[in-house]
Amino acid sequence: MQIEGAPMQQAVEDTLYAAKVDMVFSGHVHAYERSCRVYKYACVGDAPYYVTIGDGGNAEGLATEWVTPQPSWSLVRQASYGHGELTVVNSTHSLWEWHQNQDLYPVVADEFWVIKDVQTTPKARHTREPVFANTERGSRAARYNAMMQTRSAK
């Protein structure tokens, strides 16, 4: 399956999965979509949820083209304006709600809980090393980052 974000997926998916990330939020696409806990295009119990929340509005209008048929990992998708709300209840429980702003009334159109198993959650590890996509743009970003690190070291 080829999707627009495939280079970014190749650059970060293994790292996100290994770090036991629970949720990944992204935008740009002017619509809403939420996945199951997905890794390598398959629903996996310990993988991150992916939420595309780019539906705040813009002059171009909403995205209307989708991968068809809808993949099994894509649980909810909607070309509609709205906004999201993440409530972190405590260190193990978070609630995600997506409010569809249909006819100017904020309606909760999607919600789910993320519950961490504290027995299996690893302590946070930070490599402090940036990850770049394997594209020309990623290469330019890597060169720029290296240049800025060299300047700051002087």
Side-chain angles (χ1 to χ4, degrees):
M1 174 182 301
Q2 182 65 6
I3 57 173
E4 183 179 0
M8 180 62 77
Q9 177 186 4
Q10 290 171 353
V12 302
E13 185 174 34
D14 290 335
T15 301
L16 296 173
Y17 182 75
K20 303 293 185 201
V21 169
D22 288 307
M23 292 182 276
V24 176
F25 296 96
S26 63
H28 183 73
V29 174
H30 301 286
Y32 176 79
E33 184 171 27
R34 175 175 61 90
S35 73
C36 59
R37 287 182 171 270
V38 65
Y39 179 67
K40 307 288 187 190
Y41 301 109
C43 294
V44 178
D46 59 347
Y49 291 99
Y50 288 84
V51 177
T52 300
I53 179 85
D55 56 344
N58 72 343
E60 299 164 348
L62 293 165
T64 56
E65 295 182 21
W66 302 93
V67 172
T68 55
Q70 184 170 352
S72 60
W73 51 262
S74 173
L75 299 181
V76 179
R77 59 185 185 179
Q78 179 71 37
S80 178
Y81 294 114
H83 66 279
E85 184 175 357
L86 177 65
T87 304
V88 178
V89 178
N90 57 36
S91 63
T92 60
H93 290 69
S94 299
L95 172 64
W96 169 253
E97 296 175 299
W98 176 63
H99 302 268
Q100 180 182 3
N101 293 351
Q102 192 69 22
D103 301 323
L104 302 179
Y105 297 105
V107 175
V108 176
D110 184 34
E111 67 179 353
F112 67 97
W113 283 90
V114 176
I115 302 172
K116 296 289 286 184
D117 179 355
V118 294
Q119 302 301 320
T120 61
T121 303
K123 292 186 178 184
R125 297 179 328 230
H126 300 282
T127 64
R128 298 192 180 270
E129 294 296 324
V131 177
F132 299 101
N134 188 20
T135 63
E136 175 56 34
R137 184 176 181 182
S139 297
R140 284 194 316 266
R143 288 190 301 271
Y144 177 80
N145 189 61
M147 179 185 70
M148 295 308 288
Q149 286 180 343
T150 301
R151 284 184 182 176
S152 66
K154 291 181 181 181

